[in-house]
């Protein structure tokens, strides 16, 4: 997917807000991940059909899905149906590490996405760290009893 100027360029198809949005310019699947690889939550986005006038309200003709994955497993899925006006797709519950915007038959090669809302997760300590720390404390307590 490419960032493009949707207001001040030859692609004057209108942004939901501001001037820029994402264009699925290569067909196939648009994939969004967090740069550091941490989990995140999906809180919503706006999408519309490419090459349509600003808020043109045409008939829905592009169909697809938004999918949230974590460690390769599907966490949630929501159907999309796009036309010439921006449609809002709301938050889905569950932490994910990959958001996929997938095409279905008839979805076409090009669609616009704007105002994506994601919340980056925080690093969670590995459970093995706690196990090792617990074993170390247990070992210390046994060594104190032995020496006493």
């Amino acid at each position: 997917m490419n960032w493009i100027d949707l207001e001040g360029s030859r692609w004057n198809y209108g942004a939901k807000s501001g001037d820029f949005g994402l264009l699925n310019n290569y067909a196939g699947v648009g994939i969004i991940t967090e740069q550091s690889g941490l989990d995140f939550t999906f809180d919503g986005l706006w999408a519309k059909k490419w090459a349509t006038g600003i808020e043109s309200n045409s008939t829905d003709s592009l169909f697809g899905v938004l999918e949230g994955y974590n460690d390769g497993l599907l966490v949630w899925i929501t159907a999309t149906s796009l036309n010439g006006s921006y449609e809002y797709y709301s938050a889905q519950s569950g932490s994910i590490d990959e958001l996929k915007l997938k095409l279905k038959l008839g979805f076409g090669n090009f669609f616009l996405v704007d105002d994506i809302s994601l919340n980056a997760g925080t690093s969670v300590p590995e459970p093995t760290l706690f196990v090792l720390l617990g074993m170390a404390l247990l070992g210390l307590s046994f060594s104190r009893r032995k020496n006493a």
Side-chain angles (χ1 to χ4, degrees):
M1 299 182 79
N2 293 339
W3 283 107
I4 63 168
D5 186 343
L6 296 170
E7 298 290 336
S9 71
R10 63 183 176 160
W11 301 299
N12 189 18
Y13 300 124
K16 179 65 183 160
S17 67
D19 291 341
F20 294 88
L22 286 173
L23 165 63
N24 180 20
N25 201 23
Y26 302 107
V29 179
I31 299 175
I32 298 171
T33 59
E34 210 278 331
Q35 186 174 2
S36 68
L38 295 176
D39 291 353
F40 58 92
T41 58
F42 169 74
D43 295 333
L45 63 76
W46 291 85
K48 76 175 255 181
K49 190 174 166 180
W50 166 256
T52 56
I54 299 169
E55 299 302 318
S56 61
N57 289 323
S58 59
T59 303
D60 287 355
S61 61
L62 300 180
F63 303 95
V65 292
L66 293 172
E67 296 176 338
Y69 288 85
N70 198 318
D71 293 330
L73 299 174
L74 183 64
V75 175
W76 54 260
I77 186 170
T78 189
T80 61
S81 172
L82 303 179
N83 62 43
S85 296
Y86 277 99
E87 300 282 333
Y88 182 70
Y89 294 94
S90 61
Q92 301 293 313
S93 61
S95 292
I96 58 176
D97 57 17
E98 189 173 67
L99 173 63
K100 291 184 179 181
L101 297 87
K102 294 177 85 171
L103 311 175
K104 286 193 172 182
L105 291 176
F107 198 72
N109 293 340
F110 305 107
F111 59 92
L112 298 172
V113 176
D114 202 0
D115 294 344
I116 299 173
S117 180
L118 307 170
N119 278 317
T122 56
S123 176
V124 177
E126 290 291 327
T128 54
L129 175 65
F130 293 117
V131 170
L132 289 173
L133 183 60
M135 289 175 60
L137 291 173
L138 190 60
L140 284 173
S141 70
F142 280 128
S143 72
R144 282 187 165 187
R145 284 187 183 169
K146 186 179 179 181
N147 291 336

